[in-house]
């Protein structure tokens, strides 16, 4: 008997019509659906008239549930892995199962579709040629600020997921540590009825939340422009010079001096000066 196939199936992040026809056909055809939340997936399946046996696989039972899924696959059954919404394994369970499947030589096949990460990047208006996904930052402020501080010099676009309970605090900390003038984007309730897509600086986004111009409801994706790519001559601390000089000189004059000393590009240094000082453009 040959092993079955493990399909990794993306499901809608809000709008049910985003479920692809291939995903529907796969969910209809498999012997078992491994679901992060069987009730939520059950409603989705029912909506499309799909009758499928489900098995619960979430972060708290993944090791044991993965073993059951592997057993089913070894018996020749086909299995679809789904998360609550979006693409499995992107800040969702499934890593242990996929590792086990690969170790056992079981065929795995992606059924791509909705992803909040990609949806946000597609409309953020921020560079997408290079980006890094950081998922959810730590809940505790001290750990969150530490994590953000390690990303302050990251030149790739940064993408975060955040809950409604911490979005204001997260934006405030990001403004402090990455620079309140750093360009950013908030995608709230993407593809859903009350969707909001807002691009502004980190400081402005935090203010908009305070003023309820961005509602504190639903799920959030935050996209942040990468740091300026400042390359200084050996032994020159461009950041330190920018901070010191910007405190006593007009910004453009401070940038001109640092550019002449460090060899860095003026545009990048000016952008970095704004990030470090929190000044507006």
């Amino acid at each position: 008997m040959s092993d079955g196939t493990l399909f990794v199936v993306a499901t809608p992040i809000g709008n049910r019509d985003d479920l692809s026809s291939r995903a529907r056909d796969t969910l209809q055809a498999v012997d078992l659906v491994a679901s992060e939340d069987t009730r939520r997936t059950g409603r989705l399946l029912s909506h499309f008239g799909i009758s499928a046996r489900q098995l619960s696989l979430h972060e708290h039972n993944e090791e044991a549930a993965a073993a059951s899924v592997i057993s089913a696959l070894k018996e020749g059954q086909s299995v679809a892995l789904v998360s609550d919404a979006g693409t499995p394994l992107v800040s969702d369970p499934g890593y242990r199962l996929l590792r086990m499947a690969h170790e056992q030589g079981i065929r795995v096949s992606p059924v791509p579709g909705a992803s909040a990460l990609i949806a946000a990047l597609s409309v953020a208006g921020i560079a997408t040629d290079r980006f890094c996904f950081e998922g959810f930052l730590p809940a505790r402020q001290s750990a969150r600020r530490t994590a953000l501080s390690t990303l302050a010099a990251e030149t790739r676009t940064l993408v975060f997921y955040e809950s409604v309970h911490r979005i204001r605090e997260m934006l405030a900390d990001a403004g402090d540590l990455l620079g309140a003038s750093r360009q950013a984007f908030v995608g709230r309730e993407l593809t859903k009825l009350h969707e909001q897509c807002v691009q502004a600086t980190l400081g402005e986004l935090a203010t908009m939340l305070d003023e309820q111009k961005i509602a504190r409801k639903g799920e959030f994706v935050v996209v942040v422009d990468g740091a300026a790519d400042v390359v200084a001559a050996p032994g020159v601390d461009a950041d330190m010079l920018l901070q010191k000089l910007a405190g006593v000189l007009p910004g453009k004059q401070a940038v001109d001096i640092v550019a002449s000393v460090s060899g860095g590009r003026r545009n990048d240094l000016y952008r970095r000066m704004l990030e470090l000082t929190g000044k507006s453009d």
Side-chain angles (χ1 to χ4, degrees):
M1 179 185 295
S2 60
D3 296 343
T5 299
L6 174 61
F7 296 95
V8 179
V9 181
T11 55
I13 58 175
N15 191 319
R16 285 176 172 170
D17 289 339
D18 289 338
L19 187 71
S20 71
S21 58
R22 182 176 171 224
R24 291 197 297 271
D25 291 344
T26 300
L27 292 170
Q28 182 72 69
V30 295
D31 300 293
L32 177 66
V33 177
S35 310
E36 184 179 5
D37 184 331
T38 55
R39 290 172 298 180
R40 185 165 180 170
T41 299
R43 289 193 292 271
L44 178 70
L45 297 175
S46 177
H47 176 78
F48 288 102
I50 298 171
S51 179
R53 182 166 63 94
Q54 290 192 75
L55 175 147
S56 177
L57 187 150
H58 49 75
E59 63 177 326
H60 302 297
N61 78 340
E62 185 175 348
E63 189 167 350
S68 296
V69 171
I70 294 296
S71 294
L73 289 161
K74 299 297 285 185
E75 291 170 2
Q77 298 182 47
S78 57
V79 180
L81 171 68
V82 300
S83 62
D84 281 356
T87 302
L89 278 80
V90 183
S91 281
D92 282 324
Y95 167 76
R96 293 181 181 88
L97 172 59
L98 266 293
R99 285 291 299 228
M100 291 173 68
H102 284 295
E103 289 167 359
Q104 294 286 330
I106 292 169
R107 179 173 178 259
V108 299
S109 178
V111 182
S115 167
L117 162 66
I118 300 303
L121 281 168
S122 73
V123 295
I126 293 173
T128 57
D129 56 330
R130 297 172 65 246
F131 66 88
C132 57
F133 176 56
E134 293 294 320
F136 288 93
L137 288 167
R140 291 178 56 248
Q141 185 181 46
S142 59
R144 181 170 61 244
R145 290 179 68 87
T146 296
L148 285 166
S149 67
T150 66
L151 297 169
E154 174 58 65
T155 58
R156 293 173 294 176
T157 294
L158 303 168
V159 187
F160 306 92
Y161 287 167
E162 193 51 88
S163 74
V164 65
H165 308 293
R166 293 191 293 271
I167 183 64
R168 176 60 178 85
E169 291 75 11
M170 179 268 180
L171 288 175
D173 288 339
D176 285 346
L177 295 159
L178 305 181
S181 63
R182 184 88 67 99
Q183 201 67 27
F185 165 88
V186 164
R188 185 182 74 83
E189 292 288 87
L190 293 175
T191 79
K192 300 176 185 176
L193 180 62
H194 300 293
E195 174 185 272
Q196 276 190 286
C197 295
V198 183
Q199 188 196 83
T201 66
L202 283 169
E204 289 167 344
L205 288 170
T207 299
M208 293 171 78
L209 273 167
D210 287 340
E211 296 174 348
Q212 288 295 303
K213 292 178 181 177
I214 299 175
R216 294 198 201 185
K217 296 179 181 178
E219 299 171 324
F220 293 80
V221 184
V222 179
V223 182
V224 183
D225 201 6
D229 189 6
V230 178
V231 180
V236 176
D237 188 336
D239 282 0
M240 184 273 289
L241 286 174
L242 284 170
Q243 286 180 301
K244 295 288 188 184
L245 292 173
V248 296
L249 296 173
K252 289 184 179 180
Q253 186 176 348
V255 166
D256 285 342
I257 293 171
V258 176
S260 65
V261 172
S262 69
R265 294 184 300 181
R266 282 175 170 76
N267 287 346
D268 287 342
L269 287 165
Y270 187 77
R271 181 177 162 201
R272 182 60 175 156
M273 183 270 294
L274 294 176
E275 292 171 0
L276 291 168
T277 61
K279 293 181 178 179
S280 59
D281 197 348

